């Protein structure tokens, strides 16, 4: 046998039983986006490296050490492009909005779902290929839209039955306020330079705010005692924050103000927030976002405000499972077809096609290398499939132009004959009242 080839480290196969949970979540997400009038956008996996360097910021974990970047083959002029597999979705969404001038007739509300790539140390809740659901509301300036994106997430948690998350909120103010804070922050960290780790020392002058985002527990004290940006906010920034808080309060959305919350990406201003849990260890942030009014200009567009968030799908599903995975029902067929010898298969498949056209979910027993197997072994498979009915294509029945339908789940074992000539008539009685795996 040839040597086996395994998947790339940190990149997971999502196999059928687990993928059904993903489809369930994705179905609810699509419904949820429709309720809030957010429209789907799909951008390429590969972008020019410059987009992320400019959009995310040079002094960030992602750009400094996590990107999958490469030089493409040269074209006929000997020019090679620097490309990167997208590590997040916002920069690309903004690039597309600018490139296609989507804001020409007013604001846009967008969402995306798909794989992202970061070369991190793989561990539970942290992978090299992972998946995000993200939303972006572009062209809207007020705290009402900050509230809308947060309420959209909060109501999504409700619909999928996620209870173990809490909301943390902060304001990063505006550039002038950050500059005043930055000076005092640098002074504070210089005073305690001996307590900074390597990343901290390197960022002390390039991006001291990011030191607050450290995951190093040894730096907790020096970070906790640092001057707080929220104390440097002017009237307008405070009014924005208070406007958001009033809407969240009116909607019963609980939150705490976390002055250390600065987010891992450079492009945020005013509102930043995270939904966090204590149940996933160091990978406790399930959804994170904020306002990024300056990003569109950085990417070459006409100045426009924007706010959004991104959610880690793996983390949300892990947390749901941790909690007992309410809501999700594994998909099962309505009917399992128990089949006779090969000569009957044309009639069997004709009947099954008619059933499927009538909306019935049908799993056909198919022959393995050793043939169909006995009716008994087929019934075992029918049972294991979870189907509510077995549809038995016995030779005698077929000769009479009939097929036998047997109840598998209600304990009755009841059987009845159904005419092959009129599948649509009895097909209607076979489906589950609510389709399995449907969205609530
Ligand atoms: P962390 O602090 O955990 O590294 P981050 O600040 O880098 O997260 P964002 O860039 O804000 O994360 O991405 C939004 C969300 O995407 C995160 O809150 C998390 O749920 C998810 N996420 C980020 N990186 C990964 C990863 N490597 N594997 C799985 N999920 C991830
Ligand atoms: Mg990260």
């Amino acid at each position: 046998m040839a040597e086996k080839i395994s998947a790339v480290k940190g990149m997971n196969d999502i196999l059928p039983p687990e993928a059904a949970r993903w489809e369930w979540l994705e179905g609810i997400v699509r419904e949820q986006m429709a309720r809030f009038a957010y429209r789907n956008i799909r951008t390429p996996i590969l972008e020019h490296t410059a987009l992320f360097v400019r959009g995310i910021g040079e002094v960030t974990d992602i750009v400094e050490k996590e990107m999958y970047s490469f030089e493409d083959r040269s074209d006929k002029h000997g020019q090679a492009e620097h490309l990167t597999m997208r590590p997040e979705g916002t920069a690309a969404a903004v690039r597309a909005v600018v490139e296609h001038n989507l804001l020409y007739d007013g604001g846009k509300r967008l969402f995306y779902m798909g794989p992202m790539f970061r070369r991190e140390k793989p561990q539970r809740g942290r992978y090299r290929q992972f998946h995000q659901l993200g939303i972006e509301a572009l062209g809207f300036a007020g705290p009402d839209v900050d509230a809308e994106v947060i309420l959209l997430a909060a109501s999504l948690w409700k619909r999928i039955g996620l209870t173990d998350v809490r909301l943390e909120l902060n304001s990063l103010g505006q550039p002038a306020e950050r500059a005043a804070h930055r000076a005092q922050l640098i002074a504070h960290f210089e005073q305690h330079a001996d307590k900074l780790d390597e990343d901290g020392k390197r960022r002390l002058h390039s991006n001291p705010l990011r030191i607050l985002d450290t995951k190093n527990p040894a730096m907790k004290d020096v970070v906790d005692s640092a001057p707080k940006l929220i104390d440097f906010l002017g009237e307008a920034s405070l009014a924005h924050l208070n406007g958001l808080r009033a809407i969240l309060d009116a909607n019963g959305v609980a939150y705490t103000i976390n002055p250390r919350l600065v987010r891992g990406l450079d492009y945020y201003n005013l509102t930043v927030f995270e939904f966090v849990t204590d149940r996933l260890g160091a990978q406790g942030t399930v959804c994170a976002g904020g306002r990024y009014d300056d990003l569109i200009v950085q990417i070459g567009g006409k100045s426009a405000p924007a706010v959004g968030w991104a959610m880690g799908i793996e983390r949300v599903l892990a947390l749901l499972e941790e909690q007992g995975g309410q809501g999700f029902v594994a998909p099962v067929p309505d009917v399992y077809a128990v089949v006779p010898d090969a000569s009957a298969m044309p009639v069997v498949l004709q009947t099954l096609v008619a059933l499927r056209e009538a909306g019935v979910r049908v799993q056909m027993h198919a022959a393995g290398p050793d043939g169909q197997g006995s009716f008994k072994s087929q019934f075992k498979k029918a049972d294991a499939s979870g189907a509510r009915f077995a549809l038995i294509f016995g030779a005698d029945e077929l000769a009479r132009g009939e097929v036998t339908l047997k109840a598998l789940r209600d304990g009755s074992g009841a059987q009845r004959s159904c005419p092959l000539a009129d599948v649509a008539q009895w097909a209607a009685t076979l489906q589950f009242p609510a389709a399995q795996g449907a969205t609530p």
Side-chain angles (χ1 to χ4, degrees), residues 302-416:
K302 228 170 61 206
S303 174
V307 58
W309 51 248
M311 177 195 108
I313 296 182
E314 284 86 353
R315 292 189 193 176
V316 165
L317 287 172
L319 184 55
L320 266 182
E321 191 154 32
E322 186 79 27
Q323 278 184 206
Q326 305 110 309
F328 167 68
V329 188
V332 293
D334 301 319
V335 164
Y336 191 99
V338 171
V339 301
D341 54 82
S343 66
M345 291 317 282
V347 180
V348 170
L349 275 110
Q350 253 183 318
T351 310
L352 301 189
V353 165
L355 275 172
R356 288 162 176 153
E357 281 174 357
V360 180
R361 298 165 184 215
V362 183
Q363 182 170 340
M364 178 184 78
H365 185 88
D370 305 322
Q372 307 283 24
S374 64
F375 268 23
K376 192 171 160 212
S377 72
Q378 290 195 45
F379 268 110
K380 262 197 195 145
K381 289 257 167 67
D383 233 18
S385 77
R388 199 155 60 119
F389 296 100
L391 193 62
I392 307 155
F393 290 86
D396 296 348
E397 290 107 310
L398 283 177
R400 287 197 304 272
E402 286 176 347
V403 63
T404 301
L405 190 65
K406 181 170 192 245
L408 296 176
R409 308 278 149 203
D410 64 2
S412 70
Q415 299 198 16
R416 66 185 166 103

Side-chain angles (χ1 to χ4, degrees), residues 61-62 66 118 120 126 215 264 315:
D61 281 350
I62 294 179
E66 295 174 358
R118 299 184 192 179
E120 304 196 65
R126 193 176 294 285
K215 294 194 173 68
R315 292 189 193 176

Side-chain angles (χ1 to χ4, degrees), residues 4-222:
K4 283 183 189 151
I5 299 173
S6 56
V8 175
K9 182 175 163 189
M11 305 202 176
N12 302 313
D13 298 312
I14 302 161
L15 304 175
E18 175 63 7
R21 296 178 71 230
W22 284 66
E23 287 193 295
W24 165 79
L25 178 63
E26 289 159 3
I28 296 176
V29 163
R30 288 202 177 85
E31 248 295 304
Q32 180 75 349
M33 294 304 158
R35 288 186 188 180
F36 281 76
Y38 280 64
R39 306 300 176 211
N40 190 222
I41 182 168
R42 299 172 187 226
T43 62
I45 302 277
L46 286 179
E47 296 278 354
H48 293 289
T49 302
L51 174 68
F52 301 116
V53 175
R54 247 204 269 168
I56 298 173
E58 223 145 342
V59 192
T60 55
D61 281 350
I62 294 179
V63 172
E64 281 180 339
K65 48 194 179 197
E66 295 174 358
M67 293 205 301
Y68 283 98
S69 298
F70 62 95
E71 197 164 283
D72 200 1
R73 292 178 202 216
S74 351
D75 64 14
K76 58 178 187 257
H77 310 294
Q79 298 288 323
E81 295 187 300
H82 288 273
L83 303 179
T84 293
M85 293 172 77
R86 63 179 187 194
E88 56 98 50
T90 301
V94 167
R95 196 247 334 120
V97 162
V98 169
E99 188 165 340
H100 304 286
N101 196 22
L102 289 192
L103 299 183
Y104 77 100
D105 64 345
K108 289 281 173 299
R109 293 171 164 93
L110 305 172
F111 82 94
Y112 56 81
M113 275 192 277
M116 305 294 163
F117 303 85
R118 299 184 192 179
R119 204 171 185 294
E120 304 196 65
K121 187 164 162 258
Q123 52 200 291
R124 185 175 184 223
R126 193 176 294 285
Y127 309 102
R128 291 182 168 182
Q129 173 172 336
F130 65 100
H131 297 76
Q132 283 185 344
L133 158 67
I135 70 171
E136 319 289 351
L138 303 131
F140 309 105
D144 52 334
V145 181
D146 301 22
E148 178 179 274
V149 300
I150 292 174
L151 290 170
L152 190 160
S155 116
L156 183 62
W157 309 147
K158 232 190 235 172
R159 291 186 73 183
I160 63 176
L162 198 74
T163 50
D164 244 336
V165 284
R166 54 173 204 281
L167 175 61
E168 297 193 343
L169 195 62
N170 193 17
S171 173
L172 298 184
Q174 298 294 9
E177 294 155 358
R178 277 206 297 280
H181 170 251
R182 179 191 158 105
Q184 296 207 12
L185 195 61
I186 292 177
H188 169 83
F189 284 134
E190 274 175 341
Q191 237 171 35
H192 303 280
D194 54 315
K195 300 199 184 81
L196 297 181
D197 61 13
E198 214 173 292
D199 269 348
K201 287 199 178 98
R202 199 160 33 82
R203 288 172 177 173
L204 178 55
H205 293 281
S206 57
N207 198 343
L209 197 61
R210 297 295 326 286
I211 299 177
L212 300 178
D213 193 36
T214 179
K215 294 194 173 68
N216 183 352
M219 283 170 53
K220 187 174 184 309
D221 285 346
V222 67

